[in-house]
Amino acid sequence: MGWRPLLDLFFPPQCASCNALGSGLCSSCAPSGETIEVRLPRLKVTALGSYEDGLRAAVLALKDGRRDVAEALGAAVAPLVAPRELLVPIPTTAKRRRVRGMDGVALVARSAAVIAGAVVLPALEQRSGDAQRGRSRSQRLAARGRFACNAANVAGKRVTLFDDVCTTGSTLRDCADALREAGGLVEHAVVIAVAKSRDPWRGPPHD
Ligand SMILES: [Zn+2]
């Protein structure tokens, strides 16, 4: 709490879409509450809406490090998260996190979890080439995906994935597989937005 009122005084929250003061996403630009559902193999994906207009502006602002937008998105995501649910954010690449100084996806997950009474578990890490070096052949084969689960405590637990944008769903599927290998029960993912197609000018930053 402490510094927040002071920060708000100098950097008041401002709508990422229309620049109105008061919230990272004002009530006219915030998602309507009607969600979109996408079915992937073994995974139901619930999105706040399509990757366009206000949600697109919000996701891009999140990547620019806008904490006010992360809080506004967290409030919009919270109704989709059950109390005591284990929410596993998809990790931002280490490089992007260094550039932006924050992991926007994790920040939205934390904001949503505080409101919903859920638990954020950063159980996934992205594999780098270095992480593969020095492993035995069988270890490399077991770890063929792009992501690894670094938490032993997902075994036997129902976990929900959380990411910003879902396009093809391949990232969500890889992450679900990594959690399942660790014994997690993964049937549901929540995302901020679903993108219909990959457009070179308006496309999302990753899938
Ligand atoms: Zn607005």
Side-chain angles (χ1 to χ4, degrees):
M1 281 285 136
W3 287 99
R4 193 55 213 247
L6 200 58
L7 284 173
D8 279 355
L9 191 64
F10 291 108
F11 306 102
Q14 197 170 2
C15 177
S17 187
C18 72
N19 296 325
L21 291 177
S23 162
L25 202 55
C26 79
S27 53
S28 1
C29 297
S32 63
E34 268 180 56
T35 55
I36 296 178
E37 231 170 65
V38 178
R39 286 262 166 202
L40 298 175
R42 299 176 70 195
L43 199 64
K44 182 184 84 175
V45 183
T46 307
L48 291 177
S50 299
Y51 185 68
E52 55 194 22
D53 306 330
L55 279 184
R56 180 176 172 273
V59 168
L60 293 177
L62 197 61
K63 291 183 187 301
D64 279 335
R66 290 272 306 269
R67 284 168 194 274
D68 56 341
V69 175
E71 285 175 13
L73 286 170
V77 165
L80 305 180
V81 179
R84 291 186 298 279
E85 197 166 346
L86 278 184
L87 204 56
V88 176
I90 307 302
T92 307
T93 63
K95 191 178 168 195
R96 198 195 294 159
R97 188 162 41 225
R98 270 203 304 278
V99 171
R100 303 301 185 200
M102 66 171 229
D103 185 336
V105 170
L107 212 54
V108 175
R110 282 203 291 274
S111 293
V114 166
I115 297 166
V119 177
V120 175
L121 185 69
L124 290 166
E125 58 188 21
Q126 202 154 21
R127 289 180 204 289
S128 65
D130 287 348
Q132 295 283 57
R133 213 168 292 149
R135 291 179 183 230
S136 71
R137 181 169 182 275
S138 60
Q139 277 174 322
R140 284 198 303 272
L141 283 176
R144 60 198 175 280
R146 284 182 290 158
F147 295 89
C149 176
N150 57 21
N153 53 349
V154 301
K157 302 242 176 69
R158 191 169 294 281
V159 298
T160 297
L161 290 166
F162 180 71
D163 203 2
D164 50 5
V165 183
C166 171
T167 304
T168 64
S170 73
T171 299
L172 288 175
R173 287 167 67 182
D174 282 359
C175 289
D177 285 346
L179 289 166
R180 287 176 188 137
E181 272 175 35
L185 309 172
V186 195
E187 289 168 3
H188 190 210
V190 173
V191 297
I192 295 166
V194 281
K196 298 254 161 55
S197 66
R198 195 177 282 277
D199 178 303
W201 298 103
R202 298 185 37 123
H206 69 89
D207 59 2

